[in-house]
């Protein structure tokens, strides 16, 4: 990857540099709380050995894949040829991606006489700001424990750095990230940080502190987002990882400096790390964060490599790495020393590393579940409730579009009216004390029968419908026989060979809603998924039975993945011309394309609402229909 920079004519460069030096010197002569570096977190030179992800970014990639994040298995190799590093974005977080909710225990320190520092209501605002910061590109959310502690101690609140190890050790609630709000790390003019944190392998893990002097929600929320990044294992993007984090990446020697080029390896004299990626060994040891010399650095002229009053990096004054490539760090990384208002994103590897350390918090959620019916019929009322939590002042309920809240919003119990029986997800969030509770309500407008869509004649298979209280189940089948289970929600069906090459299973459910509910499953005659016995495969054909000869393998359309949430792929059974139509159970059309002649083609479905759809592939001689489930 080449990042060499061609400078402008020398006289312009000198003129620009002189101007920036004057600006930087002027800034250094003022007290700028809003633009101070804002982090007193210290990492020892040998601590990288305690990081369970040290030296293997691939472990983090594998962890992201385990959490159902949409990232390539060969992500690291592809970084070598990228001009700029990827940002974590919402498209990488699929509907099935793991979702983390982390409790925060807040400690507010005031003077001995009870004066000074922020209010409890300010803490709620800061956590809201923290969630805004993390919502854009992580599946991590935070909620407050209800018992915000207020402690009167002038030393803690005015000398936050000096007493950091004391108050974090003495005041700690297990199973949460402990956030300590102090007025200042040290009295003016010796203020030294905006926040400080322990890493997960340090003395008091999952604890951090933030200053509130000159309080603003945006600033304190940004600092807290940065410090919690440390709590979850992240370094500064400019760190000199294997020496001391008091030294910046730009000052490191060849064996300790993170290079701009992602493909660059450790050289012959780099003992113990020969031929390892420099981006894994040095800097913040994550290969998809740009090499950062130290965007802003105390006691350096110029103090900042950013353009004045801007979040844009200035390559004219930032210099080059030890191999002659111009530094081009992104000032928006939350773990950089950029200004607070600039910081807004994590890289994918940063997110994956945080996922890897969340388990160490030991989160123990209180019991908080929604009770109520699993089904609600059209025009029916129902009540849903949750257990009361200590200290909770209100509960915020969210219901699907097809339900109306008649009463109870803000309390722990609501009554709803169903406009239709289409179901959905009901959510309730307490004002503090626990994560959001959810309950899925069955879609009665489209009851599903669970079982194989493709199966062999002469064989017996089990099919299941939802188990509804007091319901009557009446099953019928064409080209098959109900072997057992009639009047229950689960039947065994033996398929009968038929020229149509399909069996249709029908279900009528009564005694649930005022009108009967119906479901149907079309079972194509063909090989079921392995490891079930195959009957149409060339090497495993069934013998002649009851006068019928075994069928040849059926050519059928292939549709995958199913369920889907972003893109589906369709493989026609032959190379003839087809029309493709996607519609829902109400007959509403979502996609139509004619005269397709392709071996396979993909369709974007990420904007389709959740539900059941039908994919119809119509050729000149035959038509295929498959059910498609969209789950975002």
């Amino acid at each position: 990857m080449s990042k060499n920079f061609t400078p402008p004519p020398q006289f312009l460069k000198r003129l620009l540099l002189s101007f920036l030096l004057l600006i930087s010197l002027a800034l250094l002569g003022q007290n700028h709380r809003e633009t101070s570096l804002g982090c007193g977190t210290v990492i020892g030179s040998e601590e990288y050995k305690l990081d369970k992800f040290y030296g293997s970014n691939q472990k983090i990639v594998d962890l992201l894949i385990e959490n159902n994040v949409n990232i390539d298995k060969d992500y690291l190799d592809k970084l070598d040829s990228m001009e700029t590093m990827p940002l974590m974005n919402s498209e990488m977080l699929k509907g099935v991606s793991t979702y983390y909710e982390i409790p925060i225990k807040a400690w507010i320190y005031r003077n001995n006489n009870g004066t000074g520092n922020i209010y409890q209501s300010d803490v709620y605002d800061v956590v809201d700001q923290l969630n805004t910061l993390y919502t854009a590109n992580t599946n991590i959310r935070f909620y407050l424990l209800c018992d915000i502690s207020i402690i009167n101690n002038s030393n803690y609140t005015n000398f936050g750095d000096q007493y950091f190890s004391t108050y974090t050790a003495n005041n700690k609630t297990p199973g949460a990230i402990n956030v300590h709000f102090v007025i200042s790390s040290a009295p003016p003019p010796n203020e030294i940080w905006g926040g400080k944190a322990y890493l997960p392998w340090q003395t008091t893990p999952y604890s951090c502190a933030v200053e509130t002097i000159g309080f603003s929600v945006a600033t304190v929320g940004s600092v807290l987002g940065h410090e919690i990044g440390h709590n979850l294992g992240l370094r500064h993007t400019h760190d000199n990882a294997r020496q001391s984090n008091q030294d910046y990446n730009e000052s490191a020697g060849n064996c300790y400096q993170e290079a701009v080029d992602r493909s660059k390896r450790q050289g012959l004299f780099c003992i113990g790390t020969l031929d390892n990626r420099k981006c894994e060994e040095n800097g913040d040891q994550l290969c998809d964060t740009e090499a950062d010399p130290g965007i802003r650095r105390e006691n350096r002229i110029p103090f900042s490599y950013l353009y004045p009053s801007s979040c844009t990096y200035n390559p004219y004054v930032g210099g080059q790495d030890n191999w002659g490539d111009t530094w081009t760090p992104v000032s928006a990384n939350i773990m950089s020393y950029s200004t607070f208002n600039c910081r807004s994103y994590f890289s994918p590897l940063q997110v994956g590393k945080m996922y890897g350390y969340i388990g160490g918090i030991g989160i123990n959620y209180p019991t908080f579940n929604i009770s109520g019916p699993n089904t609600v019929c059209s025009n029916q009322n129902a009540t849903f409730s949750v257990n009361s939590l200590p200290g909770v002042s209100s509960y915020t309920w969210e219901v699907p579009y097809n339900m109306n809240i008649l009463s109870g919003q803000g309390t722990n119990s609501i009554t709803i009216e169903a406009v239709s029986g289409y179901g959905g997800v009901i959510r309730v969030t307490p004002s503090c004390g626990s994560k959001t509770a959810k309950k899925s309500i069955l879609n009665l407008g489209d009851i599903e029968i669970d079982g194989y869509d493709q199966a062999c004649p002469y064989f017996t298979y089990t099919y299941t419908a939802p188990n509804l209280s007091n319901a009557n189940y009446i099953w019928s089948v064409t080209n098959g026989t109900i072997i057992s289970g009639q009047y229950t929600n689960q039947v065994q069906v033996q398929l009968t060979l038929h020229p149509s090459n399909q069996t249709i299973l029908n279900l009528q459910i009564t005694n649930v809603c005022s009108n009967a509910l119906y479901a149907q499953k079309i079972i194509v005659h063909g090989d079921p998924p392995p490891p079930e016995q195959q009957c149409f495969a060339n090497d495993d054909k069934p013998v002649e039975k009851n006068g019928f000869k075994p069928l040849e393998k059926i050519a059928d359309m292939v549709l995958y993945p199913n369920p889907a949430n972003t893109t589906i792929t369709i493989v026609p059974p032959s190379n003839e011309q087809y029309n493709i139509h996607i519609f829902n159970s109400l007959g509403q059309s979502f996609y139509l394309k004619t005269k397709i002649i392709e071996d396979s083609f993909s369709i974007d479905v990420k904007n389709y609402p959740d539900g059941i759809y039908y994919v119809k592939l119509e050729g000149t001689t035959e038509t295929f229909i498959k059910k498609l489930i969209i789950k975002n």
Side-chain angles (χ1 to χ4, degrees), residues 577-581 592-596 616-619:
Q577 180 175 283
Y578 288 95
N579 301 330
I580 180 72
H581 189 197
L592 178 62
K593 190 172 182 179
T594 60
K595 300 180 180 179
I596 300 173
K616 180 179 180 181
L617 190 68
E618 184 177 17

Side-chain angles (χ1 to χ4, degrees), residues 498-576:
H498 190 270
S500 66
N501 294 327
Q502 67 180 21
T503 293
I504 300 176
L505 181 62
N506 295 294
L507 172 63
Q508 177 179 312
I509 305 175
T510 61
N511 204 38
V512 175
C513 299
S514 57
N515 297 319
L517 307 175
Y518 296 91
Q520 183 181 85
K521 192 171 192 70
I522 299 174
I523 308 165
V524 176
H525 294 175
D527 290 329
E532 285 287 345
Q533 184 175 346
Q534 310 291 285
C535 57
F536 287 89
N538 291 330
D539 58 349
D540 189 21
K541 292 182 179 179
V543 296
E544 183 173 332
K545 185 174 181 179
N546 295 337
F548 288 98
K549 292 183 178 181
L551 298 178
E552 296 298 323
K553 186 174 180 66
I554 294 176
D556 193 9
M557 67 179 284
V558 176
L559 169 65
Y560 67 91
N562 193 6
N565 63 356
T566 54
T567 304
I568 60 170
T569 298
I570 297 171
V571 182
S574 65
N575 60 356
E576 67 173 286

Side-chain angles (χ1 to χ4, degrees), residues 185-193:
S185 55
N190 300 315
E191 301 147 323
I192 55 178
W193 47 256

Side-chain angles (χ1 to χ4, degrees), residues 126-181:
V126 168
V127 173
D128 286 343
Q129 181 69 19
L130 176 66
N131 279 321
T132 298
L133 193 64
Y134 274 67
T135 294
N137 49 33
T138 77
N139 260 10
I140 300 173
R141 303 293 181 272
F142 303 90
Y143 66 89
L144 268 175
L145 298 182
C146 295
D147 54 335
I148 297 175
S149 296
I150 299 176
I151 296 175
N152 297 338
N153 189 309
S154 295
N155 286 333
Y156 290 178
T157 196
N158 296 302
F159 298 88
D161 183 66
Q162 180 180 343
Y163 291 94
F164 179 73
S165 61
T166 303
Y167 59 73
T168 53
N170 292 342
N171 301 322
K172 181 173 175 63
T173 296
I177 290 181
N178 288 259
V179 179
H180 303 264
F181 293 90

Side-chain angles (χ1 to χ4, degrees), residues 208-228:
C208 64
V210 291
E211 289 182 329
T212 62
I213 186 171
F215 175 77
S216 80
V217 171
T219 298
V220 176
S222 175
V223 173
L224 182 55
H226 178 103
E227 301 308 328
I228 286 179

